[in-house]
Amino acid sequence: MVNPWKTYVKLSAVLMGSHGLTKGSLAFLNYPAQLMFKSTKVLPVMVMGAFIPGLRRKYPAHEYVSAILLVLGLILFTLADTQTSPSFSVIGVIMVIGAVVMDSFLGNLQEVIFNMNPETTQMEMLFCSTVVGLPLLISPRVLTGEVFEAWNSCSEARLREAASLEKHVLLKKLRETLESLKGRVVGRNKDDGLIWRQK
């Protein structure tokens, strides 16, 4: 491993925060509204890239104009669907804005890590950020009881699958038995026919 664990702790916190806020915002916003906000991610990524140490990127004015036009186009495209009009909730908007800000940090932090240590592989980046992020994901799920609900749901699905498999096996055995009986009956009828003809 090339990078220290504390690097991946920061990265995982941002990654899990972004995913959590994005998924959580769907409880307060409908999908078109969330998509509209998430489509603005390009602007915060550009802005954060100018301030994060190790990057300090400078973009020409025409790239900012292009990004703004892209965002406006995506927003207009999303709002054009009149059948599913976006519904807004203050809590949902705050959550999705927080997710967009965290997303802007995420991409830039990954780029800084790759620039500081060119030996860093994508496999290491994915593995370490996921392994470190796992406790960050599981802890709230245990506290809210979602882990136990998921476990029970999986157990029930396994029982339903086992019952379905048992029915399938029983039907297969019944079919084999009936075919065997059919073969015996047909064989007996042929034998009876031969005996009758001989008489």
Side-chain angles (χ1 to χ4, degrees):
M1 192 170 82
V2 179
N3 298 297
W5 282 105
K6 66 179 183 178
T7 303
Y8 293 113
V9 169
K10 293 175 192 173
L11 187 67
S12 294
V14 172
L15 177 66
M16 298 307 152
S18 171
H19 284 306
L21 289 172
T22 299
K23 304 297 185 262
S25 69
L26 284 173
F28 303 98
L29 299 173
N30 62 4
Y31 189 71
Q34 186 205 44
L35 182 66
M36 184 177 64
F37 281 103
K38 289 288 281 183
S39 66
T40 64
K41 180 172 116 173
V42 68
L43 287 175
V45 168
M46 290 175 75
V47 171
M48 293 296 175
F51 295 108
I52 289 184
L55 286 181
R56 302 272 188 215
R57 277 203 218 115
K58 292 185 180 176
Y59 296 98
H62 72 276
E63 288 191 20
Y64 282 107
V65 171
S66 297
I68 290 169
L69 290 174
L70 173 71
V71 168
L72 287 174
L74 288 168
I75 289 172
L76 289 173
F77 182 76
T78 304
L79 290 175
D81 187 7
T82 56
Q83 291 180 346
T84 57
S85 60
S87 65
F88 296 98
S89 164
V90 175
I91 296 171
V93 170
I94 291 170
M95 289 175 79
V96 79
I97 288 174
V100 167
V101 170
M102 287 190 172
D103 279 343
S104 68
F105 275 112
L106 183 64
N108 287 315
L109 281 175
Q110 287 175 333
E111 191 171 342
V112 167
I113 292 169
F114 282 122
N115 287 344
M116 288 173 53
N117 293 318
E119 303 88 33
T120 304
T121 63
Q122 288 182 350
M123 185 65 75
E124 177 185 329
M125 177 79 71
L126 287 171
F127 176 76
C128 292
S129 58
T130 305
V131 166
V132 171
L134 196 61
L136 298 174
L137 262 177
I138 290 178
S139 303
R141 301 297 171 248
V142 169
L143 293 174
T144 60
E146 291 178 20
V147 168
F148 307 112
E149 289 176 26
W151 184 265
N152 290 336
S153 178
C154 289
S155 297
E156 290 170 9
R158 196 172 343 134
L159 290 173
R160 282 193 302 270
E161 186 178 328
S164 174
L165 184 62
E166 285 176 9
K167 287 179 188 175
H168 179 71
V169 168
L170 285 173
L171 286 173
K172 185 176 179 182
K173 285 183 179 179
L174 181 62
R175 188 176 339 146
E176 289 171 357
T177 304
L178 288 174
E179 287 176 4
S180 171
L181 286 173
K182 179 182 172 185
R184 287 182 190 169
V185 168
V186 168
R188 221 182 253 165
N189 286 342
K190 284 182 182 177
D191 291 342
D192 289 344
L194 287 174
I195 292 172
W196 187 71
R197 283 183 192 155
Q198 288 174 356
K199 288 180 181 178

